[in-house]
Amino acid sequence: MTAAAHRVVIVGAGFGGLAAARALKGAPVEVTVVDRMNHHLFQPLLYQVATALLPAGDVAPAIRDVLRGQRNAKVLLGEVVGFDTAGKEVEVVLSDGASRKLGYDTLIVAAGATDSYFGHDEWREVARPMKTLADAVDLRSRLLSAFENAAAAEDSAERDRWMTIAIVGAGPTGVELAGQVAAMAKRTLRKQFQGLLDPTRVRVVLLDAVDSVLPPFPPKLREHTRRKLEKLGVEVRLGKKVTGVDGDGVVYEPGAQRLPARTVIWSAGVKASPLAEELAKATGAESDRKGRLLVGPDCAVPGHPEVFAIGDMISLNEIPGVAAPAIQEGRYVAKAIAARLAGSPPPGPFRYNDRGTMATVSPGDAVADVRGLKLTGFAGKLAWAVVHLAFLVGWRNRAAVLIEWAWLVTTGRRSQRIILEPAHQQKITRTHRT
């Protein structure tokens, strides 16, 4: 690239940002991808890292490795903290703490979303979210430690508290976690804790204020999912609004009922990345109640045709915040930029090609709604596996994940049963939090 090359800065290397960067490979631009982490994260399989099935590296390829063959792309490790749209610069705090102004001609912001505790951010320390790789690895340690602590407990009530896992939120993430944790307890732990734990006493409790699991899915798939979860031993408690979380469990309405549980997992809601608010301030754009930026039909920020926003941080035609729309938006924006530079007519308004929604319920069961075709059981699982492998970045990662899945189905064993935090430190942390 020459010094006069058109500068495209992409904030975020998630599905949308990475798709945009790769789609610009042949364009006469200089692409800079900025992310505070050095890896792309395949979030749909994050729960399998948390439940000791997949190693972290299989769902998180390094950004530099993904873009290694793209001469017009470079990567900057740092966190974007502000925008100067008048000067066409973004403010980046680098990994060593230094600050840098990064100029652009076109800006693509794909900062994603974060967990929402609905005004109770103090719950975060106890009810852990699962949005980042660090969250998943931390949750894996907590889950495995809970079973170790249960095996060592001399008091039966304390053992029961350790063996109770409360999951708040019955959307896809909560359902997938509940199914995997239940399967892990019933199959893996039965062989690993012989004589120490009774797997039938492990309680996985799924709570939500809504009246069904997987609310966006068709009724047939929702009912199948609930029946399957209950068959796995998951206690599905719907219409239960959580009003309190602490180190001893959760409190929920109606009736201010308490569920004693040493492990609480949060999957109840999301909101746009804080960068959506920063970009709204810098551009004067509006946001919805979830903090998502309202963009034009071409994904550009109103009044700023040189600034695009894509993925979970935007609100556009009620498109769901999942991987497929973000990938399509990234490719669309890249096409729009290339057309603009070539002096060609711009593409029409962005249109989302909905290829279906799906969620896994257990290691051998999933539900899928593919263009009106409703699949459950093995057929649903096969469709789910094909789609997820297709979206996963890198052939090496696809092969590794497929091998781990086959190993689990064949043996019931999970190869990632490693606790990273020392036992005494967990005790100190828990005491502090309670």
Side-chain angles (χ1 to χ4, degrees), residues 333-347:
V333 167
K335 183 178 179 181
I337 294 170
R340 186 180 297 174
L341 294 177
S344 303

Side-chain angles (χ1 to χ4, degrees), residues 315-396:
S315 176
L316 176 63
N317 300 331
E318 299 183 355
I319 296 173
V322 292
I327 293 171
Q328 293 178 32
E329 288 162 3
R331 292 170 178 167
Y332 168 87
V333 167
K335 183 178 179 181
I337 294 170
R340 186 180 297 174
L341 294 177
S344 303
F350 173 75
R351 296 185 183 280
Y352 170 47
N353 180 15
D354 188 354
R355 298 170 183 170
T357 54
M358 52 193 65
T360 186
V361 186
S362 72
D365 195 314
V367 292
D369 181 9
V370 184
R371 299 184 183 276
L373 180 63
K374 299 173 179 56
L375 304 174
T376 60
F378 177 76
K381 191 69 176 187
L382 183 60
W384 175 91
V386 169
V387 169
H388 282 69
L389 286 174
F391 281 168
L392 196 60
V393 176
W395 286 104
R396 179 244 166 238

Side-chain angles (χ1 to χ4, degrees), residues 210-332:
V210 299
D211 59 2
S212 69
V213 298
L214 300 178
F217 284 62
K220 175 184 175 181
L221 301 186
R222 296 200 301 260
E223 182 58 28
H224 172 87
T225 299
R226 176 167 182 162
R227 288 199 311 267
K228 184 64 178 181
L229 287 175
E230 291 175 341
K231 187 176 180 180
L232 285 169
V234 177
E235 299 177 33
V236 181
R237 301 187 183 183
L238 301 171
K240 310 298 183 184
K241 181 181 179 181
V242 172
T243 57
V245 181
D246 56 36
D248 290 320
V250 299
V251 178
Y252 60 88
E253 299 291 345
Q257 301 177 70
R258 170 171 281 278
L259 173 67
R262 289 296 191 196
T263 305
V264 182
I265 306 171
W266 188 266
S267 63
V270 296
K271 60 182 178 181
S273 162
L275 278 185
E277 182 179 359
E278 291 298 321
L279 189 56
K281 291 178 181 177
T283 60
E286 297 181 358
S287 303
D288 67 7
R289 60 184 181 84
K290 292 185 178 180
R292 298 176 302 181
L293 209 65
L294 304 183
V295 298
D298 60 351
C299 297
V301 176
H304 292 269
E306 78 287 357
V307 180
F308 295 93
I310 59 176
D312 295 353
M313 64 175 286
I314 69 167
S315 176
L316 176 63
N317 300 331
E318 299 183 355
I319 296 173
V322 292
I327 293 171
Q328 293 178 32
E329 288 162 3
R331 292 170 178 167
Y332 168 87

Side-chain angles (χ1 to χ4, degrees), residues 8-59:
V8 178
V9 171
I10 300 176
V11 180
F15 289 108
L18 201 57
R22 298 171 84 178
L24 287 167
K25 183 175 182 178
V29 299
E30 182 181 87
V31 178
T32 301
V33 179
V34 187
D35 201 294
R36 60 182 180 177
M37 307 302 295
N38 78 328
H39 58 264
H40 164 74
L41 180 60
F42 190 80
Q43 283 191 338
L45 292 182
L46 201 55
Y47 73 96
Q48 295 195 6
V49 176
T51 53
L53 175 54
L54 296 178
D58 284 357
V59 301

